[in-house]
Structure formats: structure tokens, C-alpha cells
Amino acid sequence: MIDTHTHYLDAAFDPDRETVLAGVADTIIIEQGIDLASSTKAVELARTHENVYAAVGIHPVNAERELPHVGEIETLAGGQRVAAIGEIGLDYRYGGRDVQREVFISQLRTAKEYSLPVCIHCVRAWGDMMSILREHRPAGVMHGFSGSAEVLHEVLALGMYVGFNGSSTNPRNKKALAAIKEVPLDRLLLETDCPYSVPKGAAAARCDSSLIAFTAEYIAELKGISPQVIMDTSDENAYKLFDLKGERS
């Protein structure tokens, strides 16, 4: 399996990180940076674990603090075992909207320069997000999708993928429910966002990549197909988007 969005460097894994990683050694993992420090560590993690790839980036909630380090993220982007620029985007629950947009656009340009896809976080900022995406047209995935049906169709029209995690299995998440039903299989990606977003049905207080099957089962039930088809299709999509077989031109 491929878990396209993880945060194993989160403090929740400090007591037993290597034990947990050993337990999911048969899963390909794309570890997301949220600032310079975590992006640097994600690259180090990828170099010491053959199943791990790094995404490097500045999360919108860290945009003001990390603005001076945008250039260093660009330097990291050119390194080995970096599969994406992420986790980047906009989150208007927090202040500094102008800086968020500046940092986001800068990282979209870095992604284009290095021919890397982007892993995008968007909360309460869909108007500005779609305007920016229409202008820059990156390859990438909308992580933990929470947009409307209208936004979903525009994201798909831009050629992007849509990621679903444990939060998508919450029956009260009506937008995710609608998106799962409408997204075509060739644009769907599975993720955990671990340690967050424990999926429905999993008896766990903390998420890890072993729980991705629960999300696959939920999506499969909604779509009326087998969970194995969901997992296989997501893996195929992830190989293409993140160039895990080294086929990107």
C-alpha cells in the first residue's frame, strides 16, 4: 500500500516512532513537512527508511514564522527522495492571509521548477485557493478534501487528485461523502494524515498507516466495489503522481 500523507515526525510518535515505522515497513509512506525543521527531518527519515519518501514545505499555519525559510525549502526540493512539495496551502482559520498566499505561491513555483507535485491543505479559503490554482495549474493532490461539489469538479478539471483520510469516514462529513461518491477512481488517493484522523471502525487512539484499509473499506462501500480495488487504484494513482517508479520526464 501507499500512504500518501503522513506526519510520523509529530510529537505523538516520539515515544515509539521507530517501532511504529517498523510495523508499517511494507507501506510506502510520503512524510509531509510543515516547516523547515520538519521538512529537513522528513528528508533524513527518507534517507534512512527505504519505504519513506519526503514532501518538503511550509504549512499555511506556519507561513508568517517560516517566511524567511522559503529559499531553504527550495534547496531541499532538489534533493534525493523528495517526492513532493507539501504540506502547503491556505487556512483562513488563522491570520496572516497575505503571507499565506505569498508563501503558497512561492512554493507552487518551486514545485514547477523541480517538476514536483504538491500536497495542498485548504480550509475556509476555497475562493482564493481556486483562483491561485487556475493561474498556476500545479500537478498535485487536494489533501483531506473538504470542498463543495462545485469545487471538486473544478479541481478535477485542473487535472488534480483528491485525497481521503479517516476524517472522510465520519458520517457527519457531508462534503466528503458527496466527494467520495463523485470522484472518479483514477483521481482518488488514500492517506491517513497520521497521527490524526483515526478512521471510523478502527479501535485506536492514534492513527498510523496500518489503518488506511478502514478508509478504503468505507469508500468501497459507498462506491459499491471491493476495498482491494480502491487500494490498488489509489496505489496506481500515487505511483503516477509522485513518480515513485522514476518515470516522470
Side-chain angles (χ1 to χ4, degrees):
M1 294 188 299
I2 301 174
D3 186 349
T4 62
H5 196 109
T6 69
H7 294 282
Y8 281 108
L9 293 169
D10 188 273
F13 290 112
D14 283 352
D16 57 353
R17 181 172 293 107
E18 288 302 322
T19 300
V20 175
L21 286 170
V24 295
D26 58 348
T27 300
I28 294 174
I29 289 161
I30 300 178
E31 176 70 11
Q32 307 283 324
I34 59 171
D35 54 20
L36 177 60
S38 60
S39 295
T40 302
K41 290 178 181 178
V43 172
E44 293 171 357
L45 194 71
R47 288 173 178 165
T48 56
H49 296 74
E50 64 179 15
N51 65 313
V52 178
Y53 290 84
V56 299
I58 297 170
H59 192 286
V61 302
N62 297 321
E64 288 190 296
R65 185 191 75 207
E66 293 288 311
L67 179 60
H69 302 304
V70 168
E72 292 165 273
I73 292 292
E74 182 174 354
T75 299
L76 285 176
Q80 293 184 337
R81 299 194 65 77
V82 174
I85 302 297
E87 176 178 356
I88 65 174
L90 302 174
D91 191 328
Y92 284 178
R93 293 173 298 178
Y94 304 90
R97 295 184 179 187
D98 289 343
V99 177
Q100 284 192 32
R101 288 189 290 269
E102 178 184 352
V103 171
F104 180 42
I105 290 169
S106 175
Q107 293 180 104
L108 291 178
R109 290 172 176 155
T110 295
K112 188 154 289 188
E113 179 180 351
Y114 288 96
S115 298
L116 291 172
V118 292
C119 301
I120 295 179
H121 169 108
C122 184
V123 178
R124 300 181 188 174
W126 287 106
D128 283 349
M129 173 60 68
M130 297 315 298
S131 177
I132 291 169
L133 294 182
R134 282 192 293 270
E135 178 179 355
H136 293 272
R137 304 184 74 85
V141 55
M142 299 302 303
H143 143 69
F145 186 76
S146 62
S148 66
E150 181 181 5
V151 167
L152 172 67
H153 289 296
E154 185 166 6
V155 166
L156 295 173
L158 289 170
M160 300 186 72
Y161 291 79
V162 182
F164 298 100
N165 55 44
S167 66
S168 307
T169 69
N170 185 333
R172 292 176 293 181
N173 190 342
K174 302 300 183 184
K175 289 182 177 179
L177 177 66
I180 289 169
K181 290 180 177 179
E182 293 194 39
V183 69
L185 287 180
D186 64 356
R187 298 294 185 82
L188 182 151
L189 289 174
L190 294 174
E191 57 178 57
T192 60
D193 199 24
C194 66
Y196 318 108
S197 304
V198 175
K200 177 185 175 184
R206 179 186 67 181
C207 192
D208 64 54
S209 297
S210 69
L211 303 185
I212 202 168
F214 287 91
T215 301
E217 289 169 5
Y218 178 80
I219 293 172
E221 183 177 354
L222 289 177
K223 286 189 166 293
I225 54 180
S226 77
Q228 193 62 53
V229 169
I230 294 295
M231 289 189 285
D232 289 347
T233 304
S234 173
D235 285 355
E236 182 179 348
N237 294 340
Y239 273 114
K240 290 178 183 177
L241 177 63
F242 297 106
D243 194 32
L244 301 180
K245 293 181 179 178
E247 297 173 351
R248 187 182 297 119
S249 57

